[in-house]
C-alpha cells in the first residue's frame, strides 16, 4: 500500500473580535439594533444614551418629510398592502430560516439554503438565476451553481409546499407531488403542465376544456383533479404577513432634491445613540489604578460606539453611491433604473463585497417616490440591442406599462410582449418575459382577456 503526501495552499481570512462585531452590527435592521443597544446599556455601566439636546434633529426630519409629495408617501389606508408586504417579508423568511435547523444538513448546505431564502421574492418564488445569486454574493463565499442547485432542491422540500419554485406552474407541481399518488393527482399534474393558462374561474368551462383535452379520463376523475388544483396555494408566501400592517418603517436615509441635485441625508432618528458615561469615566481616572475588568469594560464600550459610527457612515456612503448611479430612477421612476452589482459598489467604496451585502440588508431609503430597500437598487443587467445593459426592474416596469396600455379585448401574449420590448431595444426571449410577468403577478393573456 502506497501513501501519497502533498501540500495544499489555502488562503483564509481571520477577523478579530472588533471587526466581527462591526460586521454583525452593520447587518442588523434598525429594530434589531435598538434591542442590541438596550442589551449593551444593561450590561455595561460605562455606556449611556445622551440627553436630548434639542428638537433640531426632529425638526429637520419633519421638514424633510413635509417636503415630500403627500401622494407618494407610504402610509395610511391606501398603502396598507405595501406595509403588509414589508412587515410580512421577515415573518416568512424567519419561518424558513428556522426550518433549516430542523433538517439533517451539513453546515455548507445550511449556509447555502440561508442564502437562497434571502433571494426569494414576496410570493415565495425563486425567480433569479443561480448565476445571479453568485453575482450578488461575495466572491469569498465561493459559491457555484451545482452546489446552489442542490441547496435549492432541498429548499423546495420546506414548508409551505411550493416554496422556491421559479414560477406558478412549478410551484403547483411541487405542491401536487406532496399529495398521495392517485389517478386524480396524475391528471391534475397534466392539466397544470399543459393547460394552466387556459383555466378560468368558471368550473363548467374548465370541466369542458379538460374533457376535450383528456377524453380517456372519466368525469369524476376530471372533477376531482380540478378540485385538487383549486385547493393549491398559488403564492407560497401568502398568509404569512402580520394581521396588522406595520404602521411605520423608519428609513435609514432620506433622499431630497436640492438646487445642486439629489442629496442624501441621514435620518438621525434611525440611528441609536450611545456615549461614554462621563461620570463613571471621571471616577475611573481619579481612582488611578484600574482593575483589568474595568479596563475591558472601557475598551468594549469604545468599540461598540465605533461600531455604530462605522455602520452609519457605511450606509450613508452606500446610499450616496446609489443616488449617484441611479439618478434617473429618482427622476423617471423604475423605468430609469440601471444595472448595478454589489461588487461594483464594493470596488467604488473600497470595501469587501460582504460588507456591501451586509450594508444593504434591512436598510431603507425614503425619497419622493416612496420607501425602498437599498437592495432594490441592485439588479442584474438584461441585454439591449445597443450592447448596453438594462436593469431587470426597468424591463419589468416596461412590461407593466405595455400590459396597462394594451387592448383588454386582445391582450398581448408573451411572444408579442417580447417583440414590443425588442422594438424598444430590449432583446429578451419569450420565456424570460413570462418569468418577469409572473414575478409581477400579471396573469397570462388568456386570463387578462375581457
Amino acid at each position: 500500500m502506497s501513501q501519497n503526501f502533498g501540500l495544499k495552499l489555502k488562503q483564509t481570512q481571520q477577523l478579530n473580535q472588533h471587526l466581527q462585531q462591526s460586521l454583525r452590527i452593520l447587518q442588523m435592521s434598525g429594530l434589531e439594533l435598538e434591542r442590541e443597544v438596550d442589551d449593551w446599556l444593561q450590561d455595561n455601566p460605562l455606556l449611556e444614551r445622551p440627553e436630548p439636546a434639542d428638537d433640531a434633529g426632529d425638526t429637520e426630519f419633519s421638514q424633510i418629510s413635509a417636503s415630500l409629495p403627500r401622494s407618494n408617501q407610504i402610509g395610511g389606508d391606501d398603502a396598507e398592502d405595501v406595509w403588509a408586504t414589508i412587515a410580512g417579508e421577515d415573518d416568512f423568511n424567519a419561518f424558513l430560516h428556522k426550518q433549516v435547523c430542523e433538517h439533517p444538513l451539513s453546515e455548507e448546505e445550511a449556509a447555502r439554503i440561508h442564502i437562497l431564502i434571502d433571494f426569494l421574492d414576496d410570493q415565495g418564488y425563486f425567480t433569479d438565476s443561480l448565476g445571479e445569486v453568485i453575482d450578488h454574493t461575495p466572491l469569498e463565499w465561493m459559491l457555484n451553481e451545482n452546489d446552489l442547485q442542490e441547496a435549492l432542491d432541498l429548499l423546495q422540500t420546506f414548508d409551505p409546499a411550493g416554496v422556491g419554485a421559479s414560477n406558478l406552474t412549478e410551484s403547483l407541481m411541487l405542491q401536487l407531488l406532496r399529495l398521495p399518488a392517485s389517478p386524480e393527482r396524475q391528471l391534475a399534474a397534466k392539466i397544470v403542465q399543459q393547460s394552466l393558462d387556459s383555466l378560468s374561474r368558471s368550473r363548467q368551462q374548465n370541466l369542458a376544456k379538460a374533457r376535450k383535452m383528456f377524453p380517456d379520463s372519466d368525469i369524476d376523475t376530471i372533477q376531482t383533479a380540478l378540485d385538487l388544483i383549486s385547493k393549491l396555494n398559488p403564492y407560497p408566501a401568502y398568509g404569512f404577513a402580520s394581521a396588522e400592517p406595520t404602521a411605520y418603517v423608519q428609513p435609514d436615509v432620506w433622499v431630497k432634491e436640492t438646487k445642486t441635485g439629489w442629496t442624501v441625508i441621514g435620518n438621525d432618528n434611525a440611528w441609536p445613540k450611545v456615549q461614554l458615561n462621563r461620570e463613571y469615566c471621571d471616577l475611573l481616572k481619579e481612582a488611578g489604578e484600574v482593575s483589568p475588568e474595568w479596563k475591558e469594560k472601557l475598551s468594549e464600550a469604545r468599540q461598540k460606539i465605533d461600531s455604530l459610527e462605522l455602520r452609519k457612515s457605511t450606509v450613508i456612503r452606500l446610499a450616496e453611491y446609489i443616488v449617484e448611479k441611479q439618478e434617473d430612477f429618482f427622476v423617471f421612476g423604475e423605468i430609469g433604473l440601471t444595472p448595478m452589482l454589489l461588487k461594483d459598489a464594493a470596488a467604488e467604496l473600497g470595501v469587501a463585497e460582504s460588507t456591501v451585502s451586509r450594508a444593504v440588508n434591512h436598510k431603507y431609503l425614503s425619497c419622493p417616490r416612496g420607501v425602498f430597500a437599498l437592495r432594490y437598487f441592485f439588479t442584474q443587467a438584461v441585454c439591449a440591442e445597443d450592447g448596453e445593459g438594462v436593469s431587470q426592474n426597468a424591463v419589468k416596469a416596461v412590461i407593466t406599462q405595455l400590459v396597462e396600455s394594451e387592448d383588454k379585448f386582445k391582450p398581448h401574449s408573451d411572444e408579442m410582449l417580447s417583440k414590443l420590448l425588442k422594438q424598444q431595444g430590449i432583446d429578451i426571449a419569450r420565456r424570460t418575459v413570462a418569468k418577469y410577468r409572473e414575478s409581477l403577478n400579471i396573469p397570462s393573456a388568456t386570463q387578462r382577456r375581457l
Side-chain angles (χ1 to χ4, degrees):
M1 181 182 296
S2 62
Q3 291 182 328
N4 294 323
F5 296 91
L7 293 177
K8 182 178 181 181
L9 183 64
K10 183 178 181 181
Q11 186 177 32
T12 60
Q13 184 179 29
Q14 298 290 333
L15 303 180
N16 61 40
Q17 188 174 1
H18 185 195
L19 185 54
Q20 288 178 357
Q21 175 182 266
S22 297
L23 293 176
R24 189 171 66 86
I25 296 304
L26 179 61
Q27 186 164 346
M28 288 182 177
S29 66
L31 183 59
E32 290 171 337
L33 186 58
E34 282 288 352
R35 293 170 180 167
E36 181 77 7
V37 170
D38 286 340
D39 291 340
W40 293 353
L41 296 172
Q42 294 179 13
D43 182 63
N44 195 331
L46 295 180
L47 286 174
E48 67 176 4
R49 291 188 187 274
E51 293 291 333
D54 50 44
D55 296 333
D58 292 339
T59 301
E60 182 183 26
F61 182 89
S62 301
Q63 289 174 346
I64 296 171
S65 177
S67 69
L68 301 178
R70 299 307 301 174
S71 60
N72 290 325
Q73 290 284 335
I74 295 185
D77 295 337
D78 293 339
E80 183 172 334
D81 290 340
V82 177
W83 294 120
T85 300
I86 295 176
E89 180 181 354
D90 286 346
D91 293 337
F92 179 65
N93 283 8
F95 177 74
L96 293 172
H97 283 304
K98 289 177 182 177
Q99 289 184 63
V100 175
C101 302
E102 301 170 3
H103 290 72
L105 304 168
S106 67
E107 290 185 6
E108 293 79 8
E109 289 173 334
R112 295 177 194 123
I113 292 175
H114 280 303
I115 293 170
L116 292 177
I117 289 172
D118 289 334
F119 276 87
L120 298 179
D121 65 16
D122 294 335
Q123 285 77 41
Y125 289 160
F126 178 75
T127 56
D128 295 310
S129 69
L130 298 177
E132 289 169 346
V133 173
I134 295 173
D135 287 339
H136 283 76
T137 49
L139 290 175
E140 57 262 35
W141 290 3
M142 299 179 66
L143 300 176
N144 65 69
E145 292 195 17
N146 290 335
D147 290 339
L148 284 178
Q149 183 59 59
E150 292 179 4
L152 181 59
D153 293 339
L154 290 169
L155 175 58
Q156 291 176 349
T157 66
F158 283 27
D159 291 327
V163 67
S166 60
N167 53 44
L168 176 61
T169 299
E170 185 180 5
S171 180
L172 297 182
M173 288 298 298
L174 289 172
Q175 295 176 55
L176 287 171
L177 289 174
R178 297 201 188 185
L179 300 178
S182 66
E184 292 79 7
R185 189 194 75 169
Q186 185 177 9
L187 180 59
K190 290 181 180 179
I191 295 174
V192 167
Q193 290 179 313
Q194 300 178 23
S195 58
L196 182 62
D197 288 347
S198 66
L199 294 180
S200 66
R201 295 183 179 181
S202 171
R203 180 180 175 84
Q204 292 303 319
Q205 289 182 8
N206 292 335
L207 186 60
K209 292 177 183 176
R211 292 185 69 178
K212 289 182 179 179
M213 291 189 65
F214 307 101
D216 295 336
S217 300
D218 60 75
I219 185 66
D220 291 336
T221 301
I222 294 176
Q223 287 179 333
T224 304
L226 292 173
D227 289 339
L228 288 177
I229 296 173
S230 67
K231 294 176 182 178
L232 301 178
N233 183 5
Y235 305 110
Y238 278 18
F240 282 85
S242 174
E244 294 294 328
T246 303
Y248 185 64
V249 168
Q250 186 85 288
D252 297 88
V253 295
W254 294 82
V255 176
K256 182 182 179 183
E257 188 174 16
T258 64
K259 294 180 180 179
T260 58
W262 294 94
T263 302
V264 174
I265 302 173
N267 178 9
D268 286 341
N269 291 339
W271 311 100
K273 302 177 184 64
V274 294
Q275 65 182 19
L276 291 175
N277 187 306
R278 299 313 315 171
E279 183 178 353
Y280 284 151
C281 288
D282 290 341
L283 288 174
L284 290 178
K285 287 182 180 179
E286 294 173 3
E289 188 66 27
V290 180
S291 67
E293 290 80 7
W294 280 107
K295 287 183 178 179
E296 184 179 349
K297 286 287 185 184
L298 181 59
S299 175
E300 179 186 275
R302 287 171 173 162
Q303 288 178 2
K304 287 178 170 23
I305 293 173
D306 290 344
S307 296
L308 290 179
E309 287 300 319
L310 180 61
R311 180 184 191 272
K312 179 178 179 179
S313 63
T314 302
V315 173
I316 290 178
R317 288 178 63 207
L318 180 58
E320 289 173 342
Y321 174 81
I322 290 173
V323 170
E324 178 186 350
K325 296 298 181 181
Q326 302 287 8
E327 183 177 358
D328 285 348
F329 166 82
F330 299 99
V331 178
F332 303 108
E334 190 174 29
I335 199 170
L337 283 172
T338 59
M340 191 168 69
L341 300 178
L342 294 178
K343 63 181 181 182
D344 298 331
E348 181 72 20
L349 301 181
V351 298
E353 283 185 58
S354 57
T355 300
V356 177
S357 180
R358 289 180 172 92
V360 300
N361 189 48
H362 302 300
K363 311 300 187 304
Y364 294 90
L365 172 155
S366 179
C367 66
R369 294 191 176 276
V371 178
F372 299 86
L374 295 190
R375 189 177 291 277
Y376 166 82
F377 296 95
F378 290 88
T379 179
Q380 192 81 359
V382 174
C383 183
E385 285 187 342
D386 59 3
E388 294 291 328
V390 181
S391 164
Q392 289 182 358
N393 287 338
V395 176
K396 290 179 181 180
V398 176
I399 292 175
T400 301
Q401 290 181 359
L402 291 173
V403 171
E404 289 176 349
S405 61
E406 69 186 1
D407 183 349
K408 301 306 178 184
F409 293 97
K410 191 178 180 182
H412 300 313
S413 65
D414 292 337
E415 184 67 34
M416 178 55 68
L417 288 173
S418 177
K419 292 179 180 178
L420 293 173
L421 287 170
K422 192 168 184 179
Q423 292 176 8
Q424 300 190 31
I426 303 171
D427 188 9
I428 59 176
R430 180 197 62 80
R431 292 178 61 183
T432 306
V433 171
K435 184 181 78 169
Y436 290 170
R437 174 180 56 74
E438 290 170 355
S439 71
L440 291 166
N441 197 20
I442 297 176
S444 65
T446 304
Q447 294 171 320
R448 298 200 307 272
R449 183 177 293 112
L450 294 178

